[in-house]
Amino acid sequence: MGSARGVPLARMPESGEPQMTTQPAPESTLCVFPWAHLFVDPVGVLTTCCVGEPNADVDEDGALIRAGQKDAIARHWRSPRMRAVRQEMAAGRRHRVCDACWRAEARGLTSYRQCANDMGFDAPQPGEDCPPPKVQFVDLRLGNACNLKCRMCIPYSSKLLIPEYRELQVRVLIETDAGGPVVVDVELPHAATRSEIPPRIAAL
């Protein structure tokens, strides 16, 4: 696929606020991940990647997709969201699912999209909005059982951090589909109890 860094996504004016270009060239919007990557978060949500929109995906019938369900990978691969992401990228448009990368690039940072494009995966073929699954990179984060407690991590990904978060009286912020924040305990609830709460986590 080659590097995706040839066309700048934004410029920084004197005001300090990034101004997005209106019609970026396709190479500035393409990311190989929607064609080559499978990501599952700690509560079984399948989405584009670890920095993509965390809301649970739905299939063509509108049913929530969770890891462990029958044909979950195939349903996710051909879901309306995944197809729309591929279509928008191929057309040179930025899909909102990938806002984290667009914001990073607008500030002159290297985004996960740019890193992905430099990993050497097979390039997507023109017009393939729903190709047969050809997963080349798998990122499975099945639960928060972990024998590490890295400083940059949170209880959502490592339960060993729960005692320290409790000691510091830190809670975890979860953004819900309803738009309002819900403050919950740092314990990771069972996936079955939070199908309606796709988490984007930020330590407070």
Side-chain angles (χ1 to χ4, degrees):
M1 183 177 204
S3 174
R5 305 182 191 181
V7 179
L9 281 173
R11 63 182 181 85
M12 192 71 73
E14 294 181 0
S15 65
E17 291 298 323
Q19 291 183 344
M20 305 301 289
T21 54
T22 55
Q23 291 187 334
E27 61 252 45
S28 70
T29 59
L30 275 176
C31 174
V32 71
F33 273 177
W35 285 266
H37 180 42
L38 175 65
F39 174 77
V40 181
D41 82 357
V43 292
V45 168
L46 289 81
T47 187
T48 50
C49 71
C50 65
V51 298
E53 181 180 297
N55 296 333
D57 202 357
V58 297
D59 62 18
E60 296 166 307
D61 297 322
L64 283 174
I65 305 171
R66 290 279 176 171
Q69 294 175 345
K70 183 178 180 181
D71 299 325
I73 295 176
R75 289 163 55 214
H76 165 65
W77 200 260
R78 63 173 180 264
S79 69
R81 181 168 71 186
M82 289 296 289
R83 297 186 70 165
V85 169
R86 297 185 193 107
Q87 290 170 353
E88 292 291 287
M89 286 184 171
R93 296 186 292 267
R94 302 186 184 97
H95 197 283
R96 62 177 179 78
V97 166
C98 307
D99 279 348
C101 283
W102 311 139
R103 290 195 301 268
E105 292 174 24
R107 287 161 175 78
L109 304 175
T110 299
S111 70
Y112 197 35
R113 177 189 76 86
Q114 292 171 324
C115 292
N117 289 342
D118 287 340
M119 290 181 182
F121 299 121
D122 292 343
Q125 298 301 312
E128 285 190 331
D129 69 327
C130 190
K134 188 179 181 181
V135 177
Q136 302 170 65
F137 174 34
V138 178
D139 186 350
L140 302 180
R141 305 184 185 187
L142 306 180
N144 68 341
C146 180
N147 62 352
L148 301 175
K149 48 180 182 179
C150 302
R151 293 184 64 182
M152 51 65 173
C153 199
I154 54 177
Y156 173 67
S157 297
S158 175
K159 66 180 181 181
L160 292 184
L161 288 166
I162 291 175
E164 294 183 12
Y165 268 56
R166 282 182 172 158
E167 183 179 349
L168 296 170
Q169 297 183 333
V170 174
R171 298 236 173 158
V172 170
L173 177 68
I174 294 181
E175 296 177 2
T176 69
D177 286 333
V182 177
V183 177
V184 299
D185 188 52
V186 295
E187 293 271 16
L188 179 67
H190 190 276
T193 67
R194 56 187 298 181
S195 61
E196 72 285 357
I197 308 179
R200 180 183 295 275
I201 305 298
L204 295 179

